[in-house]
Amino acid sequence: MEPKTMDVEALSKELTLNKKNGFFQVDDEEIARADQFCEDYKVFMDASKTEREATEEAIRRAEAKGFVPYDPTASYKPGDKVYVNNRGKSVMLAVIGEKGSREGVRIAAAHIDCPRIDLKPIPLYESSDLALLKTHYYGGIKKYQWTAIPLAMHGCVVLRGGKKVKVCIGEEPGDPQFCITDLLPHLAQEQSVKTLGKAIEGEDLNILFGSRPIRSEKGENLFKLNILRLLNEKYGMVEQDFITAEIEFVPAFKAVDIGLDRSMVGAYGHDDRVCAYPALEAVLNCCEVPQQTVITVLTDKEETGSAGNTGLESSYLRYFVHALAKQDGVDGHDVLSQSTCLSADVAAAYDPTYASAYEANNSCYLNKGVGVIKYTGSRGKGGTSDASAEFMGQVRDLLDDNNVLWQTGELGRVDLGGGGTVAQYVANLNVDVVDVGVPVLSMHAPFEVVAKLDIYMAYRAFKAFFDQKK
Ligand code: MN
Ligand code: MN
């Protein structure tokens, strides 16, 4: 008798994890919707290069959809839309649910600050007939990447007496731009043998800001004085006002399609606006009356560790949930204990050029959907909120039931490095939380790359989470 063979194709389909590229899993209409979704994403990106601008843009879009500033003394009914602007640098947007906050709230939290170059408090100086600005970089950067690229100047200056002036130079056609110089290769023999981390040091990140003096026979620092004169004309500021300013230099690039097939988007600051935008759109377009109150939090300061009153280590989210609870006649801590959160932050996309930094089986890939990341951290899961199997299970079912393309992965090879997200701070409020986000190539570089299909799947994930009835 012939031994019976098995249908391995069917068996494999039934038992093996599907890791196919998303292009084989969704139809042309879905691809077209993803491409369409990303057209507005690029508009959002160009309008939101700093946490202040992202907050302003989010509020502008929210007000257009009927959101109003939250009033803790008012009473709200299901379907009401409110927002809380935290000092112009972070924002929470909520739609009141059918059950209000009584059985917990659903939170999507993303960050809107990005690695960049900040000015020191006394930045302006002149040297060898050039006007320059001293800087202090913000967040984790490879410093050499920030030289010899066009930079734009964003932020605000608080003048004496408290008047605030907005600054934005280098984004409009015809605007001047700025840059940090690098050494020519001809003279870089000594620099080239330094390690990557030492070749350009923090104190080398000086911004080229001018090269013409005030024409005068006498006087010193005429190059610096000329810049001060121009700043005073434009903004009414004097040198002391740098101390009461927040000026951030960011890449002047616009968001563009990448690839001959236009399947990707290149931009400054995908981390984490590529999650902030879908989380924002999900709350703006969520079902009329969600079951539980839903909240999108767009937070600041993640890239420097979430400390500060606009970062998620602060109590602002907790205070808001407590206020919602009070209106519903329940205890804030009971609400938080029953709440769930998708911590929306980017994942490291597998890059074949740097394959040895990843473990291929447990990496996220472009075009395989939104990443659901159980834990981040470093060296033995240090500093992470490791999502429970139970909550992972709930999220898996939610995404599968809604045909949201998703994948999972770790942040690179074990013990190579690591990183964290805001998940741990939300988890500390006794909320069930898991990291969900878009895979990024060249993360933290001045120009990062993501896939359009993944951005759209992030939106569909947050929307399914907010619209969920159970
Ligand atoms: Mn991030
Ligand atoms: Mn980051």
Side-chain angles (χ1 to χ4, degrees), residues 237-377:
M237 67 181 283
V238 298
E239 190 176 14
Q240 194 191 39
D241 296 328
F242 276 118
I243 301 170
T244 57
E246 283 177 11
I247 293 178
E248 310 173 359
F249 282 80
V250 299
F253 318 133
K254 302 290 184 197
V256 289
D257 286 349
I258 295 288
L260 200 57
D261 55 10
R262 296 180 172 268
S263 58
M264 299 165 279
V265 179
Y268 160 65
H270 283 312
D271 176 6
D272 184 33
R273 292 172 199 137
V274 74
C275 296
Y277 175 78
L280 172 65
E281 286 298 308
V283 78
L284 299 188
N285 297 300
C286 103
C287 61
E288 218 146 285
V289 181
Q291 194 172 59
Q292 291 171 286
T293 295
V294 300
I295 307 172
T296 284
V297 184
L298 304 181
T299 194
D300 182 26
K301 296 281 179 277
E302 193 278 340
E303 295 295 357
T304 51
S306 294
N309 56 13
T310 52
L312 263 191
E313 234 192 318
S314 124
S315 299
Y316 75 89
L317 172 61
R318 186 164 59 89
Y319 291 168
F320 181 44
V321 174
H322 276 245
L324 292 173
K326 198 173 160 196
Q327 282 164 340
D328 290 333
V330 289
D331 272 335
H333 53 259
D334 286 336
V335 172
L336 284 165
S337 303
Q338 299 174 78
S339 295
T340 49
C341 174
L342 301 184
S343 163
D345 206 346
V346 294
Y350 185 88
D351 187 338
T353 305
Y354 303 99
S356 69
Y358 301 84
E359 191 260 289
N361 257 337
N362 289 281
S363 291
C364 287
Y365 292 79
L366 251 51
N367 286 308
K368 289 190 179 180
V370 64
V372 180
I373 313 291
K374 191 171 182 298
Y375 53 85
T376 57

Side-chain angles (χ1 to χ4, degrees), residues 134-193:
K134 291 302 294 179
T135 70
H136 196 138
Y137 64 96
Y138 174 98
I141 63 168
K142 291 161 92 173
K143 298 180 191 87
Y144 75 90
Q145 293 180 332
W146 294 73
T147 65
I149 58 166
L151 299 172
M153 177 176 167
H154 291 241
C156 67
V157 183
V158 174
L159 307 178
R160 186 155 172 82
K163 187 186 169 200
K164 188 163 79 178
V165 189
K166 243 166 87 172
V167 173
C168 185
I169 308 177
E171 297 292 348
E172 293 302 316
D175 270 8
Q177 296 180 341
F178 313 94
C179 65
I180 295 166
T181 55
D182 197 355
L183 186 60
L184 60 165
H186 317 64
L187 299 180
Q189 270 183 54
E190 288 171 6
Q191 187 194 40
S192 323
V193 296

Side-chain angles (χ1 to χ4, degrees), residues 339-417:
S339 295
T340 49
C341 174
L342 301 184
S343 163
D345 206 346
V346 294
Y350 185 88
D351 187 338
T353 305
Y354 303 99
S356 69
Y358 301 84
E359 191 260 289
N361 257 337
N362 289 281
S363 291
C364 287
Y365 292 79
L366 251 51
N367 286 308
K368 289 190 179 180
V370 64
V372 180
I373 313 291
K374 191 171 182 298
Y375 53 85
T376 57
S378 56
R379 289 174 189 81
K381 300 191 178 181
T384 187
S385 156
D386 197 337
S388 70
E390 291 86 347
F391 189 54
M392 286 294 287
Q394 285 177 34
V395 172
R396 183 252 303 258
D397 287 346
L398 172 75
L399 300 184
D400 283 347
D401 291 348
N402 286 279
N403 291 316
V404 177
L405 190 68
W406 67 278
Q407 57 181 327
T408 194
E410 284 195 86
L411 187 60
R413 212 175 77 204
V414 175
D415 285 345
L416 182 65

